[in-house]
Amino acid sequence: GIPLARGRSFDEHDDASRDPVVMINESMERRFWPNEDPVGKRIKIGTRNLVIWMTIIGVVKDVRNVGLAAGIGYSAYTPFAQGPARGMDMAVRTRGDPQALLATITAELRRAEPALLIERAQTMQDRIDQSVAPRRLNSALLGLFAMLALLLSLVGLYGVVAFAVRQRTREFGIRIALGASSGRVLLLVLQRGMGLAAIGVAIGLPAAIAGSRLLTSLLFGIRTTDPTVLGTVSLLVTGVALVACSVPAWRASRVAPIEALRSE
């Protein structure tokens, strides 16, 4: 199922009676044939005592054979009929739930060859889950700490704005007594609180971009500096700040002038 980039794939004619053939991945093509078509070229594969010349018949897309965290290296594929091995990995594409067919597939293999040693039988999803399990745990812990940090910022911002409103209670009372509307007082408090949030976002975005390299090993197929993610988080923090400022702002807009003046 690996996509073919150029050339051809193996067929029933690529057996032991034909010249050895091989397919390479795109990384190998870029390294050794950067400006030419490698199809038709010959390469040596083997050990020091046994070297076999093989003809390249095709180039396939890069895949991660070891795990999502492992880098993509040079890969060469040979037909099983030209080089049988004592051990192999076999992948079975199924329709429906693959977990339900594991026992059936294993039983059929043992029926075909009773002496066959099956080291492990699992679904592809299980293999992927095992590959990313450590990083998934780290990501979950990091997400938990991020939520705690967001909660602390909510409480802290609320406390700062509420304290500032209490300190300026007499001022708000005087403003209202002189004709300021409740909406004007509400907007005044929100501007102060959201100004603090804006400063936090302005500092946090560059810091997040600078520290994004630390998250590279935890992400697959996602850029650490994705504008959509950064924009969404900025909007989330701004929304949290708006909620934190709303309650003190609402209280400030309801200050009675006489009570505010008597508080002194």
Side-chain angles (χ1 to χ4, degrees):
I2 302 177
L4 181 68
R6 63 185 54 83
R8 70 173 180 87
S9 184
F10 302 130
D11 57 31
E12 65 276 7
H13 302 294
D14 297 318
D15 54 24
S17 63
R18 298 294 184 92
D19 293 334
V21 294
V22 63
M23 299 177 68
I24 62 173
N25 67 342
E26 289 182 323
S27 292
M28 193 170 178
E29 176 193 27
R30 286 191 296 267
R31 171 63 178 84
F32 298 103
W33 295 277
N35 300 315
E36 56 182 323
D37 188 355
V39 175
K41 306 289 186 181
R42 301 183 69 210
I43 59 175
K44 292 189 296 184
I45 295 181
T47 63
R48 181 177 302 178
N49 299 325
L50 180 61
V51 176
I52 301 176
W53 282 94
M54 296 184 172
T55 302
I56 300 175
I57 62 171
V59 180
V60 296
K61 298 289 185 178
D62 291 332
V63 296
R64 298 182 184 273
N65 288 320
V66 179
L68 294 178
I72 298 176
Y74 307 140
S75 296
Y77 302 90
T78 58
F80 186 79
Q82 290 186 349
R86 298 184 62 183
M88 65 181 297
D89 295 326
M90 185 175 69
V92 179
R93 186 183 299 275
T94 67
R95 294 180 180 178
D97 183 14
Q99 187 71 42
L101 294 176
L102 276 180
T104 302
I105 294 172
T106 302
E108 286 298 318
L109 289 174
R110 294 193 186 281
R111 185 180 64 81
E113 179 53 66
L116 183 65
L117 175 61
I118 301 177
E119 181 180 356
R120 181 173 50 186
Q122 58 184 163
T123 66
M124 187 61 69
Q125 187 60 51
D126 289 338
R127 291 184 65 88
I128 294 175
D129 290 342
Q130 290 178 3
S131 174
V132 301
R135 287 163 180 79
R136 183 172 291 171
L137 175 61
N138 293 336
S139 299
L141 291 175
L142 188 62
L144 176 61
F145 292 142
M147 292 301 296
L148 291 176
L150 188 62
L151 179 61
L152 289 176
S153 66
L154 172 64
V155 175
L157 188 59
Y158 172 83
V160 169
V161 176
F163 179 77
V165 169
R166 182 176 294 275
Q167 293 292 102
R168 300 174 64 184
T169 299
R170 188 167 184 270
E171 173 194 340
F172 294 143
I174 294 175
R175 286 177 180 271
I176 295 175
L178 293 177
S181 64
S182 298
R184 178 62 181 172
V185 175
L186 178 68
L187 182 61
L188 183 66
V189 178
L190 286 178
Q191 285 178 342
R192 178 179 177 82
M194 295 308 294
L196 296 175
I199 294 174
V201 171
I203 297 175
L205 276 178
I209 294 174
S212 61
R213 293 184 178 180
L214 300 176
L215 300 177
T216 304
S217 62
L218 300 178
L219 304 175
F220 306 103
I222 301 176
R223 292 184 301 168
T224 54
T225 56
D226 192 318
T228 303
V229 175
L230 294 177
T232 302
V233 172
S234 299
L235 290 177
L236 177 62
V237 172
T238 304
V240 168
L242 182 61
V243 172
C245 297
S246 296
V247 176
W250 181 82
R251 289 179 178 175
S253 67
R254 294 294 185 270
V255 171
I258 295 179
E259 293 180 3
L261 294 175
R262 284 177 179 174
S263 65
E264 294 294 326

